[in-house]
Amino acid sequence: PADLVLTVDTTQRYQKVKGFGGSVTDAAAMNILSLPETAQDHLLRSYFSEEGLEYNLVRLPMASCDFSLHAYTYDDVPFDYELTHFSLRDEDTKLKASALAMSKQPLSLYASPWTSPTWMKTSESFVGKGTLKGQAGDKYHKTWANYFVRFLDEYAKYNLTFWAVTAENEPSAGLINNYPFQCLGFTAEQQRDFIAWDLGPALANSSHRHIQLIILDDNRLHLPHWAKVVLEDEKAARYIHGIGIHWYLDFIGPIQDTVVPTHELFPDYFILATEACIGAHFWERDVILGCWDRGNQYSHSILTNLNHFVAGWTDWNLALDLEGGPNWVKNYVDSPVIVDTSEGIFYKQPMFYHMGHFSKFIPEGSQRVGLVASKESKKVDLEYTAFLRPDGAVVVVVLNR
């Protein structure tokens, strides 16, 4: 085929990068800590050290999610509006905090709740369709907002401070009948009012007033509608910094129709990919060891996102077992690192190395720049992106699927 020339144009400047990383769920922490100490250390260095992928973003569930051994929150004592009984669990202190303590590099941590205590919910259950009782500004909403502050306070005692919180993981999930695992429903209007009346003020009046607040944290299908509803309200918008997106329904919500108009309407808010994994759809196998195509799927998603104003990309579980768990509702999925607990070893999958082509070469603070192809590459379907790094170097990432 005739030569294809890619020309970098640093006069064209786009979004700045926040970073790349993955999530420390209960399951991920259990798998990591099930390994012999040398292997644990090797696994964490593989992700976070200079000889590894140099991840700088870590997402943490606030209390349990489906990748936990059971459902729980930090205050399951009914009607404890003062949160007197609020306390972190062994999952936090023995698992998540110890896993994070082993990373020497500075990390940007961000936390997302799946469910509130059941006594605050219309469903009185961790699962299924349900929202907070009452409405924004009342004692349920105030208590739920204070729960975020208490979470940050308690983690600070373990020397872990957070860069951001998301207002709720997948708020649309709690609007679905019989939803199978932990959720808490919010419409865009309910999220707007909760932030304006409760969560925004609670964070602003706490010692964590510098924390960033991320809305949506759900499939990009909800954009730009969700952003319009929440960010066109000044009372809510002043507390908000970014918009989080999940990748699960990308095939029915093209990026040009969702993310791009959102960025054009609200250029001052960052857009961050906050969750992705393969194996979540019922038609996909859970774990396929050594699957190269799954690496390609990660790279393709990351490139598409970066080329459309997204500031970073967060993988889901940092490590899972051979089954793709543990997961208390058997919602098994794949992960870049698979741990064989019985043998005390772990596998680095193609997804792991695909992540590294971004995380290792595009540090925080890099800015996307123009990259022009000499002609339409009809013969070879190449995907590519270019960044100007803080150290003055230019990096180009090219994927040939």
Side-chain angles (χ1 to χ4, degrees), residues 248-376:
Y248 302 104
L249 296 176
D250 279 5
F251 54 88
I252 52 173
I255 203 158
Q256 292 81 1
D257 305 335
T258 53
V259 172
V260 173
T262 304
H263 169 75
E264 286 167 353
L265 286 165
F266 306 104
D268 298 338
Y269 296 85
F270 66 80
I271 303 172
L272 182 70
T274 51
E275 193 184 304
C277 68
I278 300 176
H281 297 301
F282 67 86
W283 62 85
E284 294 175 318
R285 277 176 54 198
D286 301 335
V287 175
I288 307 178
L289 284 178
C291 177
W292 185 259
D293 182 62
R294 291 190 163 185
N296 274 344
Q297 287 180 54
Y298 267 37
S299 282
H300 171 64
S301 169
I302 296 167
L303 281 161
T304 306
N305 276 279
L306 292 176
N307 284 332
H308 295 88
F309 307 105
V310 176
W313 203 90
T314 320
D315 180 37
W316 186 209
N317 300 276
L318 282 179
L320 292 174
D321 62 24
L322 288 161
E323 195 171 30
N327 182 298
W328 74 279
V329 289
K330 299 188 164 48
N331 181 27
Y332 303 127
V333 302
D334 215 338
S335 167
V337 167
I338 295 293
V339 173
D340 182 342
T341 347
S342 60
E343 298 290 329
I345 58 174
F346 67 93
Y347 298 98
K348 294 177 186 173
Q349 304 240 62
M351 289 177 279
F352 173 91
Y353 294 100
H354 278 257
M355 285 295 298
H357 280 275
F358 300 93
S359 60
K360 226 177 149 47
F361 298 97
I362 310 174
E364 180 171 1
S366 299
Q367 187 169 22
R368 185 165 69 87
V369 293
L371 186 59
V372 191
S374 59
K375 55 165 154 332
E376 282 295 311

Side-chain angles (χ1 to χ4, degrees), residues 34-189:
S34 74
L35 289 163
E37 240 168 79
T38 49
Q40 277 181 42
D41 184 56
H42 182 181
L43 194 161
L44 289 161
R45 275 185 312 147
S46 297
Y47 270 131
F48 297 109
S49 75
E50 274 186 22
E51 60 267 33
L53 300 192
E54 300 181 57
Y55 272 14
N56 71 320
L57 272 186
V58 177
R59 183 173 183 234
L60 244 80
M62 282 168 62
S64 66
C65 65
D66 52 326
F67 283 91
S68 299
L69 290 184
H70 60 113
Y72 63 88
T73 73
Y74 299 129
D75 194 346
D76 292 321
V77 176
F79 314 115
D80 180 18
Y81 298 108
E82 301 300 308
L83 299 176
T84 323
H85 299 280
F86 186 104
S87 74
L88 297 182
R89 308 283 288 240
D90 283 353
E91 282 88 348
D92 297 275
T93 56
K94 294 195 168 72
L95 294 175
K96 294 180 196 165
S98 2
L100 289 166
M102 289 193 250
S103 167
K104 307 289 177 279
Q105 270 61 28
L107 299 172
S108 290
L109 304 178
Y110 67 104
S112 307
W114 264 244
T115 180
S116 70
T118 56
W119 51 271
M120 297 185 196
K121 294 177 69 174
T122 53
S123 58
E124 308 260 341
S125 165
F126 290 122
V127 305
K129 184 176 181 173
T131 61
L132 288 172
K133 292 176 179 170
Q135 54 264 309
D138 72 8
K139 62 182 178 181
Y140 295 104
H141 288 70
K142 289 268 175 274
T143 306
W144 182 230
N146 290 333
Y147 180 105
F148 281 71
V149 175
R150 284 297 303 276
F151 169 83
L152 298 168
D153 288 343
E154 295 300 317
Y155 260 85
K157 295 175 185 171
Y158 290 86
N159 252 348
L160 292 168
T161 52
F162 283 76
W163 159 68
V165 291
T166 75
E168 169 63 32
N169 174 72
E170 298 190 354
S172 68
L175 306 175
I176 298 170
N177 280 322
N178 305 315
Y179 195 78
F181 54 86
Q182 297 94 315
C183 59
L184 181 61
F186 289 84
T187 62
E189 290 77 10

